[in-house]
Amino acid sequence: MSERTLSTNAPALTGTRVRPNRPGIVLATLLACQLMIVLDATVMNVALPRIQSDLHFSATSLSWVINIYTLVFGGLLLLGGRVGDLFGRRRVFIGGLALFTLASLVGGFATSAEWLLIARVAQGLGAAAAGPSTLALLTTTFTEPKARLRALALFSGMSSAGFAVGLILGGLLTEWLSWRSVLFINVPFGIAAVIFATRYLQEPERHPAKLDLPGAITATGGIAAIVYGFIRAASNGWGDSYTLISLFLGIGLIGAFLAIEIRAEQPLLPLRLFAERNRAAAYVNFCLGPMAGMSMFFFLSQYLQEVRGFGALATGFAFLPMALLVFGTSRLIPRLLPRFGPKPLTLTGTALMAAGLALLTQLSVDSSYFPLLFVPLVLMGLGMGLAFSPLNVIIMSTVPPRDAGAAGGVLQTMQQVGATLGLAILVTIFGTATRHATGSPHQVLVHGMTTASIASVVIASLAFFVALTFRKVAPR
């Protein structure tokens, strides 16, 4: 990858000394930031039992260690993308990354549940600022088509594999050190990323604009209310009054947001992003894919530890085949996508995902790792790599530079909200199935997991049918 792959007409911030373009360092910095953001959604899972013991969380409040980050991150992504467009993506990226790193340091020293949750909120704020700008900087920095395709494929592989890598890393750190190291690990990488970003990242061209405050308020409030409603439904059921109020409020606010965006002169979410058929379908599948895949991470990690007796470290490494295949497959996308186009790759990927999830419906209390767990992990790894990597390219390769931040914000919002809603729906199905099941505790648990896996197969099948709508063309 040569330095000519970088845009040479993107001025740096006034008064900031930025060194000559170093595409390798720029790419590594942006990928490191994305990996940290994605890891933080899953790296805490394996550490939850020890966090509960040390900080005296109740059984019901413990889930907020994960959910509060998801709620803030998912609710503010759209706003974060547009803020980067308006006030400078480099500046917003560095500021968000610095906040995320500082919050990780503070959270690692937490001595109470409240302290940790406040730190998680700050992490979500930093991630929502840095995340959309990461993708926007990638697309505006690598302007040569082949270089951009490679960079976007690596970004997609990092995003998809990061969920599984988070479980592996969480198991390693929790077992060898402590749960606090799960937060502290962000600090050195965050500091290095801030330093390299300050020295090597160019500021893309700024476009004069004003912030769509009514859109920002309704979008952020609507997404946060919907995410909270589904999170609460998972623990309190669909009949809970706060669940229903949150969901109806969220739907109403999203409706108001769309009405505002139609009339806004400079909208927070340019609806023209959905005018192109492939891009619109890619956005939908970026929601459905994580929605289906969350059962793999959430339920299998419980199955391995509670039913099969795996330790935290062994549970993390059980997901290694999937992580390697996701990342490895994403490296092939730059060769496959120009040759075959997005439709065959995404169809193949979603079909493999559905097949892997279907095998999980056959789990029993006595199922061994080989083959009934290993094979689904392999199929999911191949499927996620083929299904998701083209979506990043489809969405970001044709979007105008002025909308790159908004497009990245919508993409990551779809991914984050899809994962959150999927987990809430699947956990609700799991809870309903276990309440009506009989047998030993392990048999009841497995029955709930396999029932939830059936729902995951249905969602993955929907993603397959959406992929059928892609035009048979490769991105330019």
Side-chain angles (χ1 to χ4, degrees):
M1 193 179 299
S2 70
E3 294 184 7
R4 288 177 294 176
T5 61
L6 291 173
S7 173
T8 59
N9 58 357
L13 284 173
T14 302
T16 303
R17 297 183 63 186
V18 182
R19 294 194 174 190
N21 296 331
R22 300 286 182 88
I25 294 177
V26 170
L27 180 61
T29 300
L30 296 174
L31 292 181
C33 175
Q34 178 63 13
L35 182 60
M36 283 195 299
I37 291 172
V38 173
L39 281 178
D40 228 63
T42 57
V43 73
M44 303 286 287
N45 276 283
V46 180
L48 287 178
R50 299 191 187 183
I51 293 174
Q52 182 179 18
S53 175
D54 282 1
L55 301 185
H56 309 294
F57 277 91
S58 67
T60 55
S61 64
L62 182 64
S63 64
W64 282 104
V65 175
I66 305 297
N67 291 338
I68 197 68
Y69 175 80
T70 302
L71 184 63
V72 176
F73 183 27
L76 295 176
L77 270 169
L78 273 182
L79 180 60
R82 198 53 173 164
V83 167
D85 282 340
L86 299 181
F87 301 110
R89 294 166 192 154
R90 177 179 177 273
R91 177 184 296 156
V92 172
F93 171 79
I94 293 172
L97 185 56
L99 176 59
F100 181 88
T101 303
L102 179 61
S104 299
L105 178 65
V106 172
F109 288 110
T111 57
S112 67
E114 294 78 12
W115 181 338
L116 180 61
L117 291 180
I118 291 172
R120 293 288 283 168
V121 168
Q123 280 187 305
L125 287 170
S133 292
T134 302
L135 194 52
L137 285 165
L138 197 70
T139 55
T140 56
T141 298
F142 294 88
T143 56
E144 193 271 321
K146 289 185 178 180
R148 176 182 284 182
L149 183 58
R150 286 195 297 270
L152 286 172
L154 284 171
F155 180 92
S156 180
M158 194 72 73
S159 300
S160 300
F163 287 106
V165 172
L167 294 171
I168 298 169
L169 185 62
L172 280 169
L173 295 174
T174 302
E175 188 130 324
W176 290 352
L177 299 173
S178 77
W179 67 264
R180 297 180 187 277
S181 62
V182 173
L183 290 164
F184 287 144
I185 193 66
N186 290 326
V187 177
F189 290 102
I191 291 174
V194 167
I195 292 172
F196 285 125
T198 302
R199 298 178 71 178
Y200 295 106
L201 268 182
Q202 302 285 333
E203 176 67 77
E205 182 180 355
R206 300 265 293 277
H207 300 277
K210 61 181 180 179
L211 185 62
D212 173 22
L213 286 178
I217 293 170
T218 51
T220 302
I223 293 173
I226 290 174
V227 170
Y228 175 77
F230 275 93
I231 288 172
R232 190 171 178 90
S235 58
N236 295 72
W238 295 102
D240 177 70
S241 59
Y242 287 104
T243 296
L244 297 176
I245 291 171
S246 295
L247 292 175
F248 282 119
L249 177 63
I251 292 170
L253 288 171
I254 292 298
F257 166 69
L258 293 175
I260 291 169
E261 298 307 280
I262 290 173
R263 296 190 297 270
E265 182 181 350
Q266 296 177 340
L268 178 70
L269 171 61
L271 295 180
R272 57 183 173 271
L273 292 175
F274 298 90
E276 203 275 322
R277 190 172 80 183
N278 276 8
R279 192 186 302 136
Y283 274 132
V284 173
N285 265 3
F286 241 117
C287 182
L288 293 175
M291 188 180 290
M294 282 307 295
S295 63
M296 171 72 75
F297 302 111
F298 184 76
F299 291 118
L300 274 190
S301 61
Q302 291 186 69
Y303 176 83
L304 290 169
Q305 292 185 80
E306 297 184 26
V307 179
R308 300 303 301 162
F310 281 39
L313 184 60
T315 298
F317 272 104
F319 289 90
L320 185 60
M322 182 176 68
L324 292 175
L325 283 169
V326 169
F327 191 74
T329 304
S330 69
R331 297 296 302 272
L332 298 176
I333 293 299
R335 300 179 183 177
L336 299 176
L337 193 57
R339 181 176 180 182
F340 297 105
K343 189 170 185 175
L345 297 183
T346 309
L347 284 172
T348 302
T350 50
L352 289 171
M353 285 179 60
L357 292 167
L359 286 176
L360 291 180
T361 65
Q362 304 303 308
L363 280 180
S364 69
V365 173
D366 301 319
S367 296
S368 59
Y369 183 76
F370 294 96
L372 201 51
L373 290 173
F374 179 77
V375 173
L377 287 168
V378 168
L379 292 176
M380 286 290 290
L382 290 171
M384 291 172 69
L386 289 173
F388 291 156
S389 294
L391 301 184
N392 267 317
V393 179
I394 290 167
I395 291 170
M396 299 303 299
S397 63
T398 59
V399 72
R402 71 178 186 274
D403 291 333
V410 175
L411 185 155
Q412 294 186 325
T413 298
M414 289 289 190
Q415 184 180 39
Q416 193 68 27
V417 172
T420 303
L421 298 188
L423 183 57
I425 292 169
L426 295 171
V427 168
T428 303
I429 293 171
F430 167 83
T432 302
T434 55
R435 283 194 293 271
H436 297 88
T438 58
S440 69
H442 283 173
Q443 289 173 328
V444 170
L445 184 68
V446 172
H447 173 72
M449 291 177 178
T450 55
T451 305
S453 294
I454 294 173
S456 295
V457 174
V458 173
I459 298 171
S461 299
L462 290 176
F464 178 85
F465 287 115
V466 171
L468 287 173
T469 68
F470 282 124
R471 290 191 179 95
K472 296 181 179 180
V473 294
R476 292 172 293 179

